[in-house]
Amino acid sequence: DYFADAVRAFPEKTAIVGHVQGEGAARRISYTELDGLVSRAAGSLRALGVGQGDVVSTQLPNTWEFIVVALAASRIGAVVNPMMPILRERELTYMLGFCEAKVLIVCARYRGHDHAAMARGMLAQLPALQRLVVVGESGADGFETVLLGSGAEPVPTAAGALQPDDVALLMFSSGTTGAPKGVMHTSNTLLSTMVTSIEDLRLEPDDVVLAFSPFGHLTGYALLVMMPLMRGNTIVTMDVWNPLEALALMRTQKVTYTCGATPFLADLVGTAEGGQPGAPSFRLFGCAGAPIPAVLIERAANVMNLT
């Protein structure tokens, strides 16, 4: 519903600037175009048999395709299950089997690892999994073919499919003290954070958000995808963390806000102190997830002109 409001309010505004390391110009997607992509993907998921309460799992880096899938699943009342790209067969087979995912969407390759081959090798162990979709691959399993080119009837609105207290998001814990635990979020539990964060951070529609914290973590998913879309912001995605590229994107895309754990801020500050220019537009870094040394806060305020 918030996304639909943003589409009506900012139809031609850029919703996503999809930056992929090593590629040329980023893909720019307006709010109207994003809504169309979501409608097509939602119809395709429904045609694959995904319905209310079914789980759609993703193992994707920070890309525009992730955002399309997350919104499309919610539009038909399905549950989004983002998983970190660093996970391998042992963790993935447990998680996918535990939540009985119907669809798994992976990238073809990421940071030298063949995710498509890994996923195909797990299919025999996952009887509930009905469809594998691969981003960056052409052919029968390709993302463009299965979700955007299927010819299924688009789903233009949520039509009340997802209710406020229905499970909307399933994220697994790291499993450091035992088997990973599936943490269930509803729209209400997510909004309890996002609505107050918009107020606390004083986000305005003209803010531009740099999204490098992984979408497979709640910080990335809630505060760098869903919250900016609620506010009508522009999201600049980074699929691979690189502080030098991050500073360059902050300058060229006029980024005003981002958030992440302490090491991200330390990388940015160190790179700026090394002589790389910052971004005059940048005003706010939301930092959490680990202790934040006072000296780092002071360095960030000095070198990046944060207040």
Side-chain angles (χ1 to χ4, degrees), residues 52 77 79 160-169 185-189:
Q52 189 85 24
V79 179
L162 190 67
Q163 297 302 305
D165 290 318
D166 292 340
V167 176
L169 174 70
H185 276 284
T186 69
S187 297
N188 272 337
T189 62

Side-chain angles (χ1 to χ4, degrees), residues 253-299:
Q253 302 302 326
K254 296 180 171 54
V255 169
T256 60
Y257 159 74
T258 191
C259 68
T262 306
F264 289 112
L265 179 58
D267 282 352
L268 284 174
V269 171
T271 303
E273 288 175 336
Q276 294 299 320
S281 59
F282 190 59
R283 67 176 183 84
L284 182 64
F285 190 109
C287 195
I292 308 166
V295 66
L296 178 60
I297 297 173
E298 184 177 354
R299 289 167 58 204

Side-chain angles (χ1 to χ4, degrees), residues 90-91 95 172-181:
R90 181 175 178 273
E91 298 94 343
M95 293 175 180
F172 281 89
S173 64
S174 61
T176 51
T177 59
K181 301 168 183 65

